[in-house]
Amino acid sequence: MSAEKQLSFEVVREGTSETIDVLVKRLVVAGWTGRDQAAVRHHIEELAERGVKAPGTTPVFYRVSAARLTRAEIIDVPGQGNSGEVEFVLFQHDGELYVSVGSDHTENDVEAYGVTVAKQMCEKPVATRAWPFTEVAPHWDQIHLRAWVIENGERTLYQQGQVSAMLDPAALLDGLAEVEEAFCDGTLMYNGTFDVIGPLRFARRLEVEMIDPVLERSITHGYNIEILPLRG
């Protein structure tokens, strides 16, 4: 049996809130999810120059242990060859689809060896709040994502963009169903991100945000990164 993770989410629905307890049995990290497939191919070619093997298809759906999901204020990482990135997160519970925000923290230095291994090496922070997807579906492409890094005590914008830059959720869920079991209760999926502002880099803290400008609300999450000593 695969690892499982119990998470509670505060669901904000039509101005009210309730808490749901979600047992995540399957964690998926979708990659190469850009709607502009020409740009995706260009980025794949750039990474190939770093020794990162091109995926067989795009998008690609990496499997990660659900035990890697975390709400911890601090995550431990081996060295400084890793970084986080803002992503919208989908999960299903009691037949209903929800959306939240998280960070696909990844060991970048290991990607040339294997992207699945690199993604498995770091914990995956996810926010405590979520929205029913039906509430954002009519204006989905207007949803914004942002990430900040804290460097030398300064908060610096690291990523920003609208989810319209990525495949819409229906296409992503259909794509997952084509390669393995369909999206269902107990599945949680990260869904791709934007280019960073400046160089890809390690930081001691990352803060992520998902903004709904139509319903005038947001979901935020942040965490600190602690470096483990490397001793051979």
Side-chain angles (χ1 to χ4, degrees):
M1 179 181 293
S2 298
E4 300 176 348
K5 186 78 171 194
Q6 186 82 35
L7 295 173
S8 294
F9 286 90
E10 178 193 3
V11 175
V12 179
R13 186 194 306 270
E14 298 178 347
T16 65
S17 66
E18 63 175 327
T19 298
I20 61 173
D21 294 321
V22 179
L23 180 62
V24 181
K25 300 180 180 180
R26 180 173 59 152
L27 173 58
V28 181
V29 177
W32 311 111
T33 60
R35 290 191 195 180
D36 184 345
Q37 286 297 295
V40 167
R41 287 191 295 272
H42 177 68
H43 190 41
I44 289 173
E45 292 169 359
E46 289 180 328
L47 288 178
E49 296 177 359
R50 287 174 39 199
V52 179
K53 184 179 178 180
T57 60
T58 58
V60 62
F61 300 92
Y62 303 104
R63 288 293 301 276
V64 178
S65 170
R68 281 301 190 185
L69 289 166
T70 186
R71 297 276 177 62
E73 294 183 2
I74 301 173
I75 69 169
D76 295 325
V77 297
Q80 299 186 37
N82 56 84
S83 62
E85 56 190 32
V86 64
E87 302 199 9
F88 71 89
V89 173
L90 297 170
F91 66 93
Q92 185 170 305
H93 177 68
D94 285 346
E96 184 169 9
L97 186 64
Y98 297 89
V99 62
S100 187
V101 68
S103 171
D104 173 22
H105 207 98
T106 299
E107 190 62 36
N108 304 313
D109 285 351
V110 181
E111 287 191 325
Y113 170 80
V115 177
T116 298
V117 176
K119 292 189 176 298
Q120 180 65 44
M121 290 180 66
C122 299
E123 292 176 292
K124 305 298 183 191
V126 62
T128 59
R129 183 172 290 182
W131 300 324
F133 184 72
T134 53
E135 289 192 353
V136 297
H139 55 275
W140 173 250
D141 279 356
Q142 297 181 55
I143 299 295
H144 281 70
L145 297 175
R146 293 176 184 159
W148 292 265
V149 292
I150 310 301
E151 301 173 301
N152 301 316
E154 294 188 4
R155 190 171 187 253
T156 304
L157 187 64
Y158 186 58
Q159 292 175 287
Q160 68 173 342
Q162 290 182 214
V163 297
S164 58
M166 289 167 279
L167 294 171
D168 65 59
L172 289 165
L173 300 188
D174 287 345
L176 177 65
E178 289 178 1
V179 297
E180 59 176 80
E181 180 185 351
F183 200 88
C184 57
D185 281 11
T187 300
L188 185 146
M189 186 162 72
Y190 289 69
N191 295 279
T193 194
F194 314 104
D195 290 339
V196 302
I197 300 169
L200 182 71
R201 59 198 185 273
F202 173 84
R204 289 284 188 170
R205 180 171 175 82
L206 185 78
E207 297 173 354
V208 297
E209 182 178 27
M210 180 168 64
I211 306 106
D212 180 344
V214 174
L215 298 181
E216 299 182 338
R217 57 186 181 177
S218 65
I219 299 175
T220 61
H221 189 69
Y223 62 99
N224 296 321
I225 300 98
E226 187 71 25
I227 302 171
L228 297 172
L230 298 178
R231 294 175 179 153

